[in-house]
Amino acid sequence: MYGKPRDSDALLAAHLRDILARRQLTALFQPIIQMHSGEIVGYEGLIRGPSDSPLHAPLTLFRVARENSMMRDVELLCRRVVLERFAELALPGKLFLNVSPECLLPAQNGAQGETLDLIRDIGIAPERVIIELTENQPTYDYGQMRDAVLHYRALGFGIAIDDLGEGFSSLRLWSELRPEYVKIDMHFIQGINNDPVKLQFVRSIQEIAEKSNTLVIAEGIEKQAELLVLRDLGIAFAQGYHLGRPNAAPARALPAEVAKALSRNGVAVYPQRTVEKHAVSILKLLHRVAAVPPSMTNNEVYDIFLSDPKLLIIPVVDHGVPLGLISRFDMIDHFARPYQRELYGKKSCRQFMDAKPLIADKDTSLQDLSYRMVESDAHHLFNGFIITEGGRYLGMGTGHDLMREITQMQIHAARYANPLTQLPGNVPINEHIDRLLASGTRFWVCYCDLDHFKPFNDVYGYRRGDDVIGLTGHILTQHSDPDRDFVGHIGGDDFMLLFQSEDWEARCRAILAEFESKVTDFYSAEDCERGGYFSEDRQGRKVFYSLMSLSLGVIKVEPRQYYSHHQIAASAAEAKKQAKKVHGNSLFLDRRLEPQR
């Protein structure tokens, strides 16, 4: 029973050698498009094993190659197959060629020269080839990586980093290698139209990319809504099944419906987030990391790192008092140099310790620590920080976790959502109007207001009034296109709809009809039968009030007709006043400001 797995592994290894000998690998190509023009600017070359083989999937293929020390041979054949097929098809644009970091290094017996000779033989200019670094295991020798990248760049190749945000050290690779392109991992792309945390992550990556002259490629796009959000964020390039699946003979133009969506004016509706009122301290970021005493030797610390591949930082603590941090990368870098281990291996681990770590008490707020992090040296972001209680070591926090929590706080602070309906409030409404104005698209602004809401509150109570407001928000949302129409709650019983949907009027009629049918549920049978109820006005007089109704005042906004959300708010409020003059549920379109034909 114990021999079967080994027999299976041996069979897979033999099968892989046969695949290499017979060159049984197939190249597929997936298009990469430019967001602005919709043009296909290049293709990523992908590889598949034989279709009837257990090594068909690339993950299995490369795993078996790595386990049997055949990575270099497999990668070299992959490159040859992809390059030859790319040239045979005469595909336009650039070729994104997957290369693992370990196969990029010059220690691979001349692998650098082989790649250059290969593309020269095939007849592809190096300037058309982007080396896409795919990270399958931790990369520690960043110095060698930089040298290899500089070598390839000098020959004319471009450099891309794959799966940013996933993997072992992609952020540090970006910092060290300064690639021409970074690809954001599909985890952060898929569902970005519904996830404000993913939106903020991608927005932050885009801001960093703009400052470092790097172009961003969003991969894994499967829906039009994702594509349009990414376009509005300023992402330069895109890739995914929605644009084109990997194919042995890929398309040379986008699907017509995708090209039409990209060329259409208008803006995507960004996802919003619920309100969180409580402040958070850095205790939320606490990780219990075992510390070592200063008496421990460098050799012993090195052995701890080797025993736990995921451990990146070890704190040094003397009788509960934190002294510093030892970085995995620094330790391995020191021991990789000649004679360093012989000279310092038996000495105190203080030797390679950062003696000025970032230390903060557990009650420190996330905001205060982020300010300290920004003002400190950049290495603190990678090393993290020590969390103490009364000056004594408690645990560790990571820069990644701090960035994530700060990002969430920024989203909360910027949203100003209405706590009753959880719909976005004035700030997000105004931001969306400004985006619409900047896009130069036509849209419709609908100001929604409940009639006779205050006397209803007085008679039936505020809890019942809140229920009506909740119902109104739900109806407005249900009859809006979540990808094109924005629903906001100004406050009280006032709402605003920002329509890009051309069928806005039919949606408004449906809103009024559903409101009319459901609002009666909040009244007594007697009040419903007589169409209203009596209540005292401010002077104490008995007044008859009709059942609540909904007034919708609409203005049409043409390009360059308005220049600020203030102007639009004023015009929409005037349209609402006109709608409220009509008895019952009403829709009023203000045509006074429409341009003359």
Side-chain angles (χ1 to χ4, degrees):
M1 66 180 290
Y2 293 106
K4 287 184 179 179
R6 291 189 177 183
D7 292 343
S8 175
D9 291 345
L11 285 173
L12 286 175
H15 185 36
L16 179 57
R17 282 190 286 270
D18 183 58
I19 287 173
L20 290 174
R22 298 166 63 184
R23 292 188 55 176
Q24 290 183 310
L25 296 178
T26 302
L28 304 179
F29 298 91
Q30 187 172 30
I32 297 172
I33 71 154
Q34 185 180 57
M35 287 280 201
H36 179 68
S37 64
E39 174 190 3
I40 293 177
V41 296
Y43 297 84
E44 179 180 356
L46 303 165
I47 211 76
R48 298 292 185 270
S51 59
D52 57 349
S53 163
L55 301 182
H56 174 69
L59 283 176
T60 308
L61 179 76
F62 289 115
R63 177 182 60 79
V64 173
R66 182 168 283 106
E67 289 172 354
N68 292 276
S69 303
M70 288 190 276
M71 270 299 292
R72 178 180 173 276
D73 294 333
V74 170
E75 281 216 20
L76 196 59
L77 178 58
C78 288
R79 274 179 258 175
R80 178 177 289 278
V81 168
V82 168
L83 285 161
E84 287 177 351
R85 181 63 176 162
F86 185 77
E88 181 184 343
L89 292 170
L91 291 173
K94 296 184 182 294
L95 170 64
F96 285 74
L97 192 64
N98 289 305
V99 180
S100 61
E102 64 264 36
C103 290
L104 189 74
L105 300 177
Q108 299 297 321
N109 302 320
Q112 291 177 325
E114 288 175 353
T115 301
L116 186 60
D117 291 342
L118 187 59
I119 71 164
R120 283 176 174 165
D121 291 344
I122 294 171
I124 300 174
E127 291 76 16
R128 292 187 64 199
V129 178
I130 308 298
I131 293 173
E132 185 172 319
L133 295 176
T134 56
E135 191 184 16
N136 297 307
Q137 62 184 27
T139 302
Y140 299 127
D141 199 331
Y142 292 101
Q144 274 198 322
M145 285 294 298
R146 278 196 305 272
D147 292 342
V149 164
L150 288 172
H151 170 81
Y152 277 100
R153 195 174 273 136
L155 297 174
F157 294 92
I159 302 295
I161 291 177
D162 194 18
D163 294 337
L164 186 74
E166 193 271 340
F168 301 97
S169 52
S170 53
L171 278 173
R172 183 164 179 186
L173 268 178
W174 186 2
S175 175
E176 296 277 2
L177 305 184
R178 305 299 171 92
E180 284 76 18
Y181 303 87
V182 293
K183 282 188 167 184
I184 302 180
D185 181 65
M186 65 176 64
H187 166 78
F188 298 98
I189 301 303
Q190 292 172 355
I192 190 174
N193 55 305
N194 295 316
D195 191 326
V197 174
K198 290 181 178 180
L199 178 84
Q200 187 60 38
F201 177 88
V202 174
R203 177 184 274 150
S204 299
I205 292 301
Q206 175 63 17
E207 290 174 359
I208 296 170
E210 288 172 356
K211 292 175 182 176
S212 59
N213 295 319
T214 303
L215 296 169
V216 175
I217 303 172
E219 59 180 347
I221 297 171
E222 295 188 351
K223 298 177 181 177
Q224 180 175 298
E226 296 164 352
L227 179 69
L228 296 180
V229 166
L230 293 160
R231 179 198 65 178
D232 286 6
L233 287 174
I235 303 300
F237 301 105
Q239 179 180 355
Y241 284 179
H242 183 64
L243 313 173
R245 290 175 175 268
N247 199 296
R252 295 168 187 251
L254 272 181
E257 64 273 14
V258 178
K260 181 180 178 182
L262 280 175
S263 65
R264 187 174 61 205
N265 282 342
V267 300
V269 178
Y270 287 164
Q272 305 294 326
R273 194 170 177 88
T274 56
V275 178
E276 287 185 15
K277 299 177 182 179
H278 56 278
V280 180
S281 78
I282 63 170
L283 191 61
K284 183 178 181 180
L285 310 181
L286 179 70
H287 293 274
R288 302 286 183 181
V289 180
V292 300
S295 59
M296 185 172 282
T297 67
N298 287 316
N299 279 335
E300 291 172 312
V301 172
Y302 183 73
D303 289 340
I304 293 174
F305 279 128
L306 289 184
S307 66
D308 186 356
K310 294 183 179 179
L311 184 62
L312 300 179
I313 292 290
I314 295 178
V316 181
V317 177
D318 187 17
H319 299 294
V321 179
L323 302 180
L325 296 173
I326 301 173
S327 161
R328 180 189 197 97
F329 302 114
D330 289 343
M331 173 67 77
I332 292 175
D333 184 53
H334 278 294
F335 272 22
R337 299 175 191 172
Y339 311 116
Q340 291 285 298
R341 187 160 188 176
E342 291 81 355
L343 288 171
Y344 302 112
K346 295 181 181 179
K347 293 189 176 182
S348 165
C349 60
R350 283 176 179 260
Q351 188 79 35
F352 301 141
M353 177 186 79
D354 174 14
K356 295 182 178 179
L358 200 58
I359 302 175
D361 185 81
K362 66 179 181 65
D363 294 325
T364 304
S365 72
L366 292 171
Q367 200 73 47
D368 288 343
L369 183 61
S370 70
Y371 292 147
R372 287 183 60 191
M373 187 74 81
V374 168
E375 294 168 357
S376 302
D377 292 337
H379 73 273
H380 290 306
L381 187 61
F382 299 106
N383 288 353
F385 49 93
I386 293 173
I387 300 176
T388 59
E389 182 176 16
R392 299 183 66 80
Y393 175 74
L394 196 62
M396 292 286 302
T398 69
H400 176 271
D401 287 346
L402 178 63
M403 287 176 61
R404 185 193 66 240
E405 291 297 328
I406 289 295
T407 296
Q408 290 177 348
M409 286 176 59
Q410 289 173 339
I411 293 170
H412 301 160
R415 189 172 186 268
Y416 298 103
N418 187 284
L420 179 58
T421 60
Q422 293 298 309
L423 290 172
N426 286 299
V427 171
I429 291 170
N430 293 338
E431 288 175 350
H432 193 77
I433 292 174
D434 289 339
R435 289 178 57 223
L436 285 165
L437 291 173
S439 74
T441 190
R442 176 195 296 121
F443 63 101
W444 291 264
V445 179
C446 176
Y447 199 131
C448 316
D449 188 25
L450 294 173
D451 305 317
H452 314 304
F453 178 71
K454 187 182 181 304
F456 174 86
N457 255 354
D458 293 341
V459 172
Y460 283 91
Y462 286 97
R463 176 164 297 190
R464 187 68 66 90
D466 287 349
D467 290 342
V468 172
I469 289 175
L471 169 71
T472 306
H474 176 73
I475 292 173
L476 297 178
T477 303
Q478 286 295 109
H479 291 284
S480 302
D481 182 339
D483 297 328
R484 304 204 69 207
D485 306 327
F486 185 98
V487 185
H489 189 173
I490 298 170
D493 59 327
D494 290 0
F495 295 82
M496 186 168 282
L497 276 166
L498 305 172
F499 284 115
Q500 292 179 84
S501 297
E502 296 285 341
D503 61 345
W504 64 271
E505 186 171 353
R507 293 176 183 273
C508 286
R509 299 289 181 194
I511 287 168
L512 293 175
E514 184 171 353
F515 182 85
E516 185 175 12
S517 69
K518 289 187 175 179
V519 75
T520 53
D521 295 342
F522 296 91
Y523 290 92
S524 67
E526 182 184 3
D527 287 346
C528 286
E529 188 175 343
R530 65 185 177 189
Y533 54 92
F534 285 95
S535 179
E536 291 185 355
D537 64 11
R538 292 180 180 177
Q539 285 73 41
R541 296 173 299 191
K542 285 281 187 180
V543 178
F544 181 79
Y545 291 100
S546 300
L547 300 183
M548 272 186 295
S549 55
L550 186 60
S551 293
L552 307 180
V554 179
I555 61 169
K556 180 180 180 182
V557 180
E558 295 284 0
R560 296 174 298 280
Q561 182 182 0
Y562 293 88
Y563 299 95
S564 75
H565 59 258
H566 300 290
Q567 292 175 303
I568 284 179
S571 295
E574 182 58 35
K576 179 202 69 171
K577 287 181 183 178
Q578 297 301 321
K580 288 180 79 67
K581 292 179 180 178
V582 180
H583 179 72
N585 294 287
S586 61
L587 171 63
F588 175 82
L589 173 62
D590 194 339
R591 301 182 183 276
R592 291 174 296 175
L593 295 176
E594 287 191 12
Q596 296 296 316
R597 294 187 182 277

